[in-house]
Amino acid sequence: MRRIEPFTTLDALHQAAADAFCTLVAEKLARNESVSISLSGGSTPKRLYELLSQRELPWDQIHWFWGDERNVPHDHVESNARMVREALLDRVAVPEANIHCVPVEPDDPASAARRYEQTLKEHFSGQPFPKWDLALLGMGDDAHTASLFPETEALDEKERWFVENWVEKFNAYRYTLTVPAINSAQQSWFLVAGEGKREAVAHVFSEEGKPRLYPSQSIRATCWFMTRDAYPES
Ligand code: 6PG
């Protein structure tokens, strides 16, 4: 059964997600010494990061990873590493050792993907796939998530954790967690807002099994934080 938290406003969605994040971290740290988060790019997740920067969190006990990245340097305006640092990590006392950016190599994305995958395998040593405490996810109006875009090769990957992914419509490589490396998360939350997402949500929520067309369909999310205008008209 899909858990959906419907919100009337975007601000209510973000505040609730920030509250839920703080609760999750507290609960996890009551049992473990650290928490590992997979971060998403996108404007909807970005606002959550900005709100989290205003919260009191045990910053030295949280490890930050990226679920996907663009094939650009970390100081590039399109970089997810830059976005998260500006929205959150540069504003709070996170040890640099807890920040695990994708080691982008614009000229050799395959090498960069394998290096990051190795970083993940060392952090989650002994696990068959990364055991994220939380994977944060956005969803595009084409139903992509992370950088798992419709009809792209990464959608078929069942063994690798993290891969480069050629995206024709951008004429560029992206980096992304694979479907099994997202579904291995203990908690995974979609943050989806706006009527522009309604059609994609309808496809993802429908029984039609077309994950190559609607990649978010492959993700077993534990919760959808959605504004009502993104929800398919009943
Ligand atoms: C990225 C993201 C991507 C994003 C969605 C939703 O690198 O762009 O990882 O998957 O989350 O495109 O973005 P919005 O919330 O801005 O619509």
Side-chain angles (χ1 to χ4, degrees), residues 19-182:
D19 292 346
F21 184 96
C22 293
T23 300
L24 178 143
V25 167
E27 287 172 352
K28 291 289 180 180
L29 290 180
R31 295 193 301 273
N32 306 303
E33 72 283 351
S34 71
V35 168
S36 300
I37 309 290
S38 172
L39 295 162
S40 168
S43 59
T44 313
K46 178 181 177 181
R47 180 61 188 145
L48 169 59
Y49 306 149
E50 292 168 344
L51 291 180
L52 290 177
S53 73
Q54 299 158 15
R55 300 294 182 97
E56 288 300 315
L57 281 163
W59 300 110
D60 61 337
Q61 293 178 274
I62 304 173
H63 283 263
W64 307 90
F65 297 83
W66 275 254
D68 75 310
E69 183 56 280
R70 288 81 181 280
N71 194 26
V72 295
H74 289 161
D75 60 358
H76 192 284
V77 66
E78 289 184 10
S79 163
N80 284 341
R82 173 174 165 176
M83 182 274 278
V84 176
R85 281 187 180 276
E86 290 177 347
L88 173 57
L89 302 179
D90 288 351
R91 301 181 183 189
V92 295
V94 181
E96 198 58 31
N98 289 24
I99 300 172
H100 309 275
C101 299
V102 177
V104 171
E105 295 179 45
D107 297 334
D108 191 349
S111 164
R114 283 208 177 276
R115 284 167 59 201
Y116 199 58
E117 186 175 59
Q118 189 53 35
T119 297
L120 296 179
K121 290 193 171 184
E122 286 165 9
H123 186 78
F124 295 101
S125 62
Q127 300 289 342
F129 282 104
K131 199 176 176 189
W132 307 110
D133 292 292
L134 173 63
L136 287 169
L137 299 165
M139 189 184 77
D141 56 12
D142 61 356
H144 84 264
T145 189
S147 282
L148 296 165
F149 286 86
E151 305 289 2
T152 57
E153 203 170 306
L155 292 172
D156 300 326
E157 181 56 55
K158 303 298 182 218
E159 305 298 327
R160 296 282 305 276
W161 291 22
F162 192 83
V163 294
E164 73 285 4
N165 191 30
W166 177 256
V167 185
E168 190 61 34
K169 73 175 179 181
F170 299 137
N171 191 35
Y173 276 100
R174 288 280 190 99
Y175 299 95
T176 188
L177 286 174
T178 58
V179 169
I182 295 173

Side-chain angles (χ1 to χ4, degrees), residues 209-221:
K210 295 179 180 172
R212 287 194 61 77
L213 279 180
Y214 311 111
S216 294
Q217 233 176 31
S218 297
I219 304 305
R220 293 192 301 272

